[in-house]
Each structure stands twice: as C-alpha cells, then as structure tokens.
Amino acid sequence: MNTTINIIVFGLENIGSSLVSQLISQQKIWETQLDITLKIPVITSDQIVFLENNQKPNNWDANFADFGSPFDFAKLATFLLQKSLTNTIIIDTTNSTEILYYYPDFLQQNVCIISTNKIAKVPPPEISFLLKIAQKEIIFVEPNLNATQEITTQILKIAQQSKILLAG
C-alpha cells in the first residue's frame, strides 16, 4: 500500500534548500523501493510562500495574493490547518520565534514537526506550556553539516510508522 507523506518546509536557507533538493532527488527511490510518495506542497522563504503547482510536480508558484510579501504567517498557518493534509511533516529550518507559537496547533492536528530552529530546542516558557498541553514532542535536529541527512532519516522513520498505522 502506497503512503503519501506531505512535507512542508519553512526556511529556504542552507538546510531547507539542501533538504528540498535531496528529497526531490530521492522521490523515485522512495516510491519504487519503499512505496512512499513524497510531496512538498508548500515551501517558504522568509519573504515568500511557494505553493506546489498541481499540474507540474516539483514546481512551485509564489503566492503573493493570498499571503503577501513578506508573507503573513498567521494566514499561512490557518491555510495549512484548514487544508487538512494527511501524513504531514513540517520541517522548520528557520530561526523564527513566530513559527513556534503555531507548533501546538500543528501538533494537535497530528502534524509531525522536525526542527533545526535553535529557539525550538529551548522554547520560551509560554510555548513550552502550550507544547505540554498538546502532549506531543518536536523532533529537534542540530543545525550542522549532517542536518539534511538526519532530517531525511527522521522523515523516513515517520513515513514507515505511518505505513504501519495505515496497514493496521
């Protein structure tokens, strides 16, 4: 049974852009050997939201009309929560505090979060409190030269766990 995993990437700096390139290069392998389809429906830089063009896989269109420039994070978070993507993993490679405030909402929607955001390692007390209420964990990956590979490994673990849950 094929499992689709939706990857949302926040941050296109070094780690984010390397990760997107690596995932694109591995899509066929994951699909043929692991029966896992990787989709990347949303990528953001610190200024722009890129939405995947449904007609052309692995092509994204900047969306200024709905999210503005610099984009409105609250609108994007609401959009993602309303879209109800299944098997979603958010990858946060930013250094933003703002995104942390949406972590609990994402976690309550059964979205997994993998973060290299150093602030997420020891979040402010009000965010720590909200995360405890959500009763979910964030997977923190050190932002170093091996981060892209470690994130990919974590995505694979989550994807394989999703396949087990879907099969059971």
Side-chain angles (χ1 to χ4, degrees), residues 57-70:
N58 297 328
N59 284 277
W60 295 268
D61 297 322
N63 188 320
F64 297 105
D66 292 334
F67 304 109
S69 179

Side-chain angles (χ1 to χ4, degrees), residues 68-106:
S69 179
F71 74 89
D72 182 332
F73 195 86
K75 283 184 184 178
L76 178 59
T78 301
F79 168 80
L80 291 173
L81 291 168
Q82 289 173 345
K83 201 152 175 65
S84 299
L85 297 170
T86 58
N87 298 325
T88 302
I89 303 172
I90 289 179
I91 312 294
D92 175 14
T93 67
T94 71
N95 288 316
S96 167
T97 302
E98 184 178 10
I99 190 173
L100 299 180
Y101 286 94
Y102 294 94
Y103 277 15
D105 293 330
F106 291 134

Side-chain angles (χ1 to χ4, degrees), residues 15 17 31 38 46 58 78 82 92 95-96 108 113-114 117 121 126 129 131 140 148 155 161-162:
I15 295 171
S17 60
E31 192 151 2
L38 290 176
D46 59 346
N58 297 328
T78 301
Q82 289 173 345
D92 175 14
N95 288 316
S96 167
Q108 287 178 339
I113 299 174
I114 302 172
N117 184 334
K121 191 171 184 179
E126 65 274 17
F129 175 73
L131 292 172
F140 183 77
T148 301
I155 291 169
Q161 184 62 34
S162 294

Side-chain angles (χ1 to χ4, degrees), residues 89-156:
I89 303 172
I90 289 179
I91 312 294
D92 175 14
T93 67
T94 71
N95 288 316
S96 167
T97 302
E98 184 178 10
I99 190 173
L100 299 180
Y101 286 94
Y102 294 94
Y103 277 15
D105 293 330
F106 291 134
L107 292 169
Q108 287 178 339
Q109 298 295 320
N110 291 320
V111 171
C112 297
I113 299 174
I114 302 172
S115 181
T116 62
N117 184 334
K118 291 180 184 179
I119 303 166
K121 191 171 184 179
V122 183
E126 65 274 17
I127 295 171
S128 293
F129 175 73
L130 294 172
L131 292 172
K132 284 180 187 172
I133 291 172
Q135 296 181 342
K136 304 273 181 154
E137 299 269 331
I138 298 163
I139 299 168
F140 183 77
V141 174
E142 288 293 336
N144 58 34
L145 293 175
N146 297 321
T148 301
Q149 186 57 48
E150 179 60 25
I151 292 169
T152 304
T153 300
Q154 293 298 331
I155 291 169
L156 180 58

